[in-house]
Amino acid sequence: MLRYLTSGESHGKALLTILDGIPSGLRIDEAKVNRELCRRMLGYGRGRRMRIEADRVKVLSGLRKAVTIGSPIALMVDNVDHSIDRLPAVLCPRPGHADLAGAMKYDLNDIRSVLERASARETAARVTVGAVCKALLMEFGIEIASHVVVIGGVEAEIKDLGFKRLVSIAEKSPVRCADPAASKLMCAEIEDAMGEGDTLGGVFEIIVRGAPAGLGSYTQYDRRIEGRLAAAVMSIQAVRGISFGVGFEAARLRGSMVHDEIFYDRKRGFYRTTNNAGGIEGGMTTGEAIVMHAVMKPIATLMKPLSSVNIKTKKAVRASIERADICAVPAAGVVGEAVVAIELAGAMIEKFGGDSIREMRRNYDGYMEQIRKF
Ligand code: EPS
């Protein structure tokens, strides 16, 4: 079983993770982990904090000569801004943030103690874990990408570009969007929101290419892969909704328009010409690309704050202002890739056995041969 925990406050000393269950024999390239951390920091609309930090991973345990040995892997990202004990108290909860419910729940009279851990800074830790899991998935030719399709009122028009081209265009866009015209409009929308002291949410798409058919299972509710993937992506700060393939559109369409017809070719085996299911049927991967959409609400810290109540004086006030992003949808896409990688790496280990990469590969090859001949 693959499991991990993260620890660390936004302005604490560091973000820490222990990742347990990665098989032995996997090469971990620190530069690749750092590249993922760097991708998470980018994006038009990010706040000043991202200019202060230079997120880099320190691998504290679990590797010998950059190769896993089956023991838990400890990963650390230092915070340059570790001012947690010097920062002023926060008393005016921000609507939309963990502030109020968190302070009541943990009986804290300074909201700072809530926001420090609720902050999306924690996602840097998850990105380090995701990068290790991406390395495991790459061993089996599984690739994960994301791109932004909506920011505020601007929707991208994504042509059928193919995976590689889509990724290369999106990675060059300041908002990680594969439609250059929409990309410009999104940047303008972010500037406009900034001018108004406001924030923006949006939608990002996650695409997984190369996952074999049969990850997850229909046999028990908690083994259904879409449930696991949805829970993972929903656990990202500010994500409010998930869909697969044609998603919510399926409600308006007839079955004949939704379900992906099945074909067979001696060389290719079973295949589909459409992928409305988003690569998942009956709680299992189908072997087609996994396609998910995630909705992110606008960041809760507004420079023109909404009405709130001071938790000490109970007087009507404006919500507190913290340093924050205007829009973090491009970064959330990178985090989405990471959490999907973690969930799929777990499902791969469950299916193919998890003590060593060599053992996993043998089982994987045998299974792939078996389904080819099915
Ligand atoms: C973030 C770091 C945070 C915020 C942001 C995400 O740093 P700071 O609070 O020092 O500016 O920029 O978090 C939020 C917007 C939030 O509401 O929690 C990061 O590293 O991603």
Side-chain angles (χ1 to χ4, degrees):
M1 190 181 68
L2 190 69
R3 54 190 178 157
Y4 75 104
L5 285 175
T6 72
S7 167
E9 279 71 39
S10 182
H11 307 97
K13 286 199 176 77
L15 299 159
L16 276 172
T17 311
I18 295 182
L19 170 61
D20 185 39
I22 291 287
S24 68
L26 179 68
R27 178 164 295 280
I28 304 299
D29 183 350
E30 269 189 35
K32 283 193 181 155
V33 182
N34 289 333
R35 202 173 67 205
E36 295 296 320
L37 284 170
C38 181
R39 288 176 70 228
R40 194 201 71 94
M41 296 184 77
L42 299 173
Y44 202 74
R46 292 285 265 153
R48 281 197 321 279
R49 179 74 184 273
M50 293 301 100
R51 278 175 256 151
I52 298 168
E53 300 298 331
D55 292 348
R56 291 185 81 78
V57 73
K58 277 186 197 159
V59 184
L60 303 182
S61 66
L63 301 188
R64 283 194 71 199
K65 296 181 181 167
V67 177
T68 59
I69 52 174
S71 55
I73 302 168
L75 304 157
M76 182 162 95
V77 178
D78 281 326
N79 284 326
V80 173
D81 179 354
H82 53 266
S83 52
I84 190 164
D85 292 333
R86 298 190 302 278
L87 289 166
V90 176
L91 299 173
C92 309
R94 292 160 292 174
H97 212 282
D99 296 357
L100 182 58
M104 292 194 295
K105 177 177 167 70
Y106 288 98
D107 195 20
L108 299 166
N109 54 20
D110 176 1
I111 289 166
R112 167 95 34 219
S113 302
V114 175
L115 69 88
E116 281 292 333
R117 180 61 186 158
S119 164
R121 176 97 193 113
E122 182 266 349
T123 60
R126 286 197 263 177
V127 165
T128 62
V129 176
V132 173
C133 292
K134 275 188 173 184
L136 181 134
L137 296 173
M138 270 309 280
E139 290 283 319
F140 302 93
I142 304 170
E143 284 178 273
I144 307 182
S146 71
H147 62 108
V148 171
V149 289
V150 175
I151 285 182
V154 184
E155 191 159 350
E157 235 183 84
I158 305 297
K159 299 184 193 87
D160 195 7
L161 297 164
F163 185 85
K164 281 221 165 96
R165 184 125 181 75
L166 181 104
V167 172
S168 96
I169 299 173
E171 290 298 308
K172 282 182 205 126
S173 153
V175 279
R176 308 195 55 255
C177 172
D179 171 351
S183 206
K184 278 199 189 121
L185 293 172
M186 286 171 180
C187 291
E189 180 100 343
I190 291 167
E191 267 169 32
D192 190 59
M194 183 159 65
E196 300 281 313
D198 223 324
T199 57
L200 290 169
V203 177
F204 59 87
E205 182 177 76
I206 304 170
I207 309 167
V208 183
R209 192 168 76 148
L215 296 180
S217 176
Y218 61 89
T219 59
Q220 201 58 265
Y221 66 93
D222 56 352
R223 295 180 61 195
R224 289 183 171 265
I225 198 76
E226 67 268 66
R228 290 172 60 173
L229 292 173
V233 179
M234 283 292 289
S235 76
I236 300 169
Q237 288 81 341
V239 169
R240 302 299 278 180
I242 295 291
S243 68
F244 291 89
V246 286
F248 284 46
E249 204 46 48
R252 282 179 276 274
L253 299 170
R254 296 199 171 183
S256 57
M257 303 290 292
V258 170
H259 303 301
D260 304 306
E261 291 184 294
I262 302 170
F263 302 95
Y264 183 78
D265 177 278
R266 262 176 161 255
K267 260 199 192 138
R268 286 175 72 178
F270 296 99
Y271 70 94
R272 321 287 177 109
T273 51
T274 54
N275 186 19
N276 293 335
I280 296 172
E281 283 176 338
M284 295 164 294
T285 51
T286 61
E288 304 294 323
I290 301 170
V291 183
M292 296 176 77
H293 281 87
V295 180
M296 187 186 195
K297 68 180 179 181
I299 300 283
T301 307
L302 306 185
M303 293 304 141
K304 265 197 204 150
L306 296 172
S307 297
S308 185
V309 174
N310 182 305
I311 58 167
K312 201 168 163 191
T313 65
K314 310 294 187 285
K315 293 230 167 81
V317 286
R318 290 283 158 184
S320 22
I321 298 178
E322 293 294 313
R323 179 177 59 201
D325 310 310
I326 309 298
C327 174
V329 183
V334 177
V335 181
E337 292 174 31
V339 298
V340 164
I342 298 166
E343 220 45 59
L344 289 178
M348 286 287 287
I349 290 167
E350 284 156 32
K351 174 112 188 75
F352 301 113
D355 292 328
S356 72
I357 291 289
R358 211 149 73 91
E359 176 190 24
M360 238 182 129
R361 172 161 312 287
R362 212 165 42 236
N363 294 337
Y364 172 86
D365 288 344
Y367 172 75
M368 293 311 277
E369 183 64 14
Q370 176 191 315
I371 59 172
R372 236 188 322 270
K373 288 184 183 156
F374 176 77

